[in-house]
Structures are given as structure tokens and as C-alpha cells.
Amino acid sequence: MTIREVAQAAGVHVSTVSRTFSAPNLVNAETRERVIAAAAELGYRPNLAARALTTGRTNNLGLIVADIANPFFPPLIKAAQSYARVRGYQVFVADTDEDPRVEEELIGTLARQVDGVLLVSPRLSNAAIVRLGADLPFAVVNRRVKGMPAVLMDVGTGAGAAVDHLAGLGHRHLVVLGGPRNSWTSGQIRRAAGAAAERHGVELSYHGPNAPTEQGGYRAAAAVLAAGATGVIAYNDLVAIGAIEGLATAGAEVPRDVSVVGVDDTVAGRLNRPKLTTIAMPTQTAGRAAVDLLLQAIDEAASGAVQMILETDLVVRDSTGPRVTVERRV
């Protein structure tokens, strides 16, 4: 498959196809997407070796996630890899195991092998990210970092919708089960849920930090019961599922005694029993958008810190229900 055939399929000049893959900032977005779609359909791949000789680039990107075992990350990774491949780049994926020290080590290792790095839900401080980003283009997912391109999933709006939902079901005392200490997502959930609870006159407690795993949620179940809460908003689906298990072990039934809301809308939440009410995060869209922002940063096309905010949705399933009084249960 040649560049001429891609140009013919996309209805553009050969030079436009060349610029799309070598200097995408010089091609308007609509034309660029049309060329990329035509290339993907025809199976065209740019000659990376030839481009590397003229640009001095590796045509590799790094993608660092907090925990590849968390079902939130694989759809984002696959979307980013697929989109990067069409743009003529390969992606090296690395897992920090929720450890900021490992995250910094991986950035240092990848810096010699890639043209830029995607940091997805990083655990490093903003100051550390800015320091490390001085020598290598970064794009960040789910973290606001001054002067750095970012894709943000609007979990705050979702958390507010979750409080609206629980308050509408009659719940008057809620608990937010937070995530890791340096998590941007956890902070957004806490602030937005607090504001929504205040609007409804609902009591809201916070318990955290917690490990962003089933075990973290299981251990946090005791705090939910101790607080006397009847509604829970968990940091992610894994924490929510763990909390449901912990509540069941203590003799509390979901949603009869406690309603539980997760975040992410992962396969695990959909397969859980009861099926999990959750805030759906647009992970695949975020993966593609983050690659786009990173390539713009690499090409020095972005003016300032471009931040893209993606909408989230509350998906209501079986883990939430009306508040039941003690008298009605007896």
C-alpha cells in the first residue's frame, strides 16, 4: 500500500498525506482525520525508518499507568495503541504498581527510547511531573498540571449526579471511599460529592486514603458501617465491589441496607452481583485524545497547556435502591 493510494482514497494530494504523518499540526483536523481513516482502512503504515533519518525521532511513545491489573486501564491502553499506530508510532506500556518512585524511574528509563510520555492517573506530585517534563514532552490523563496538556474525565459531575441519585432515593448519610493519596480523581469525587451533599442537606463523611483495589474496599466496609451511612460512593469499581463483599461479610445487604456507587463502568462492575451502579468514564476516547495531545506537544504545535474535558455519565443498575428504615426491615 502506497501513499498515493491513501491520497486517492482520502481525496487529497499526496503531499497532504505526507504532512498528516510527518507534521500533523500543518493539516486541519477534518482533513487529518479523513487521511488517518483512509490509511487505517487500507492498512497503510508510514516508513518509520526513513522518517527517523530525517527527523531524529524514535517514533515511539511511552504510556505509564498506575496498575495494569485494574480493569479501568486496558481499554484506554488499547485505544491509545491503536490510534498511535495509525499515526505512525508504537507505544511502550509500563506499570508503576501505584508507586511514585517506580513511576519516576520508568520515566527516566523511557526518556532515552521515546519521543514523549503519556502519564495516566499518575501518582507523582505535580512538582515532580513538571520537573521531569522539562526534558521530555508529556501529556497527562486525569491530572491537572500547570503548563502541561491533559485529558480530564469529568468525574466530579458524575459524583454530583451520584449524590443526586442517592439523595433522591432517601439516603441522608453518605460516605465517600477515597483512593490513593495523590489521586486527582479521588479529590474531584470528594469535592463534588461534598458540594452536592450540601445542596441536598445530606450528611457526607470521607474515608481515605484507600488502596484502589477490592481489598481496599473490603477493609473500608467497616468504616461505612461505623459511620451509620446508607449510601457509598467509591473511588472506583474495584473499591465498590470490595466494599460490597465487606458489607456482606458483616451481615449488611446491598442495596437493602447500603447502596453503593462505583466509578469507571468496568466489565467487573457489570458482572458483579448486584450489578454495579457506577459513573461511566470515557476511557477509549481519553486514550485517543491523549495521544493526539502528546503528538501535538512533540511537534510543538500546542499553544500553552491544552486541556480536554470529557463528559461522564451515571449508569444506574442494581447496587443502589431506596433507603429502607429499620422498622420496614423488621
Side-chain angles (χ1 to χ4, degrees):
M1 194 56 56
T2 69
I3 194 171
R4 293 185 181 279
E5 289 169 292
V6 175
Q8 184 177 4
V12 299
H13 194 273
V14 171
S15 61
T16 302
V17 177
S18 177
R19 282 196 298 273
T20 296
F21 292 105
S22 62
N25 57 295
L26 300 180
V27 183
N28 73 61
E30 182 181 351
T31 302
R32 186 171 68 238
E33 292 301 320
R34 192 164 75 248
V35 171
I36 290 172
E41 185 176 351
L42 294 173
Y44 170 78
R45 296 287 181 269
N47 187 328
L48 301 184
R51 190 196 302 177
L53 288 173
T54 59
T55 64
R57 294 181 181 173
T58 67
N59 292 102
N60 297 323
L61 305 176
L63 195 163
I64 299 177
V65 300
D67 180 6
I68 203 168
N70 185 325
F72 167 79
F73 292 107
L76 188 150
I77 293 170
K78 287 185 69 67
Q81 284 185 319
S82 177
Y83 184 67
R85 195 174 296 121
V86 171
R87 296 289 298 269
Y89 284 79
Q90 300 301 321
V91 177
F92 298 158
V93 179
D95 175 5
T96 71
D97 199 24
E98 299 285 348
D99 189 335
R101 292 172 299 180
V102 173
E103 190 168 22
E104 183 162 357
E105 291 171 3
L106 286 169
I107 291 170
T109 300
L110 287 171
R112 298 185 292 272
Q113 307 172 61
V114 301
D115 298 326
V117 173
L118 296 173
L119 298 177
V120 184
S121 299
R123 302 304 181 224
L124 284 166
S125 68
N126 279 16
I129 293 172
V130 169
R131 171 172 53 82
L132 294 165
D135 301 320
L136 184 68
F138 282 175
V140 188
V141 177
N142 278 354
R143 176 73 74 85
R144 274 195 175 96
V145 182
K146 186 176 181 180
M148 197 164 288
V151 177
L152 307 170
M153 289 178 257
D154 188 11
V155 70
T157 296
V163 172
D164 294 343
H165 170 63
L166 292 171
L169 292 171
H171 296 280
R172 310 310 298 167
H173 186 177
L174 311 178
V175 169
V176 169
L177 298 181
R181 192 177 305 278
N182 288 334
S183 167
W184 177 86
T185 297
S186 188
Q188 293 297 302
I189 294 170
R190 183 178 186 179
R191 284 188 287 273
E198 187 174 348
R199 288 197 308 271
H200 287 285
V202 170
E203 182 180 355
L204 186 136
S205 307
Y206 180 81
H207 179 75
N210 297 290
T213 61
E214 286 185 63
Q215 291 77 12
Y218 187 91
R219 289 191 292 267
V224 174
L225 295 173
T230 62
V232 173
I233 301 173
Y235 167 74
N236 65 16
D237 285 357
L238 292 182
V239 172
I241 291 169
I244 291 172
E245 294 172 355
L247 291 167
T249 299
E253 185 179 324
V254 173
R256 186 197 67 185
D257 302 305
V258 182
S259 288
V260 177
V261 179
V263 174
D264 290 342
D265 193 22
T266 60
V267 172
R270 295 192 288 273
L271 295 178
N272 190 66
R273 293 297 180 271
K275 291 183 178 181
L276 192 63
T277 295
T278 187
I279 300 166
M281 304 281 268
T283 51
Q284 294 185 28
T285 302
R288 291 188 290 268
V291 169
D292 217 14
L293 291 185
L294 180 58
L295 295 183
Q296 289 181 49
I298 291 170
D299 291 328
E300 298 181 346
S303 56
V306 178
Q307 294 191 341
M308 183 179 296
I309 300 176
L310 305 178
E311 294 182 357
T312 60
D313 295 299
L314 180 67
V315 181
V316 178
R317 298 195 181 100
D318 302 332
S319 65
T320 53
R323 176 177 178 269
V324 180
T325 65
V326 173
E327 290 75 17
R328 287 173 58 191
R329 290 205 305 266
V330 171

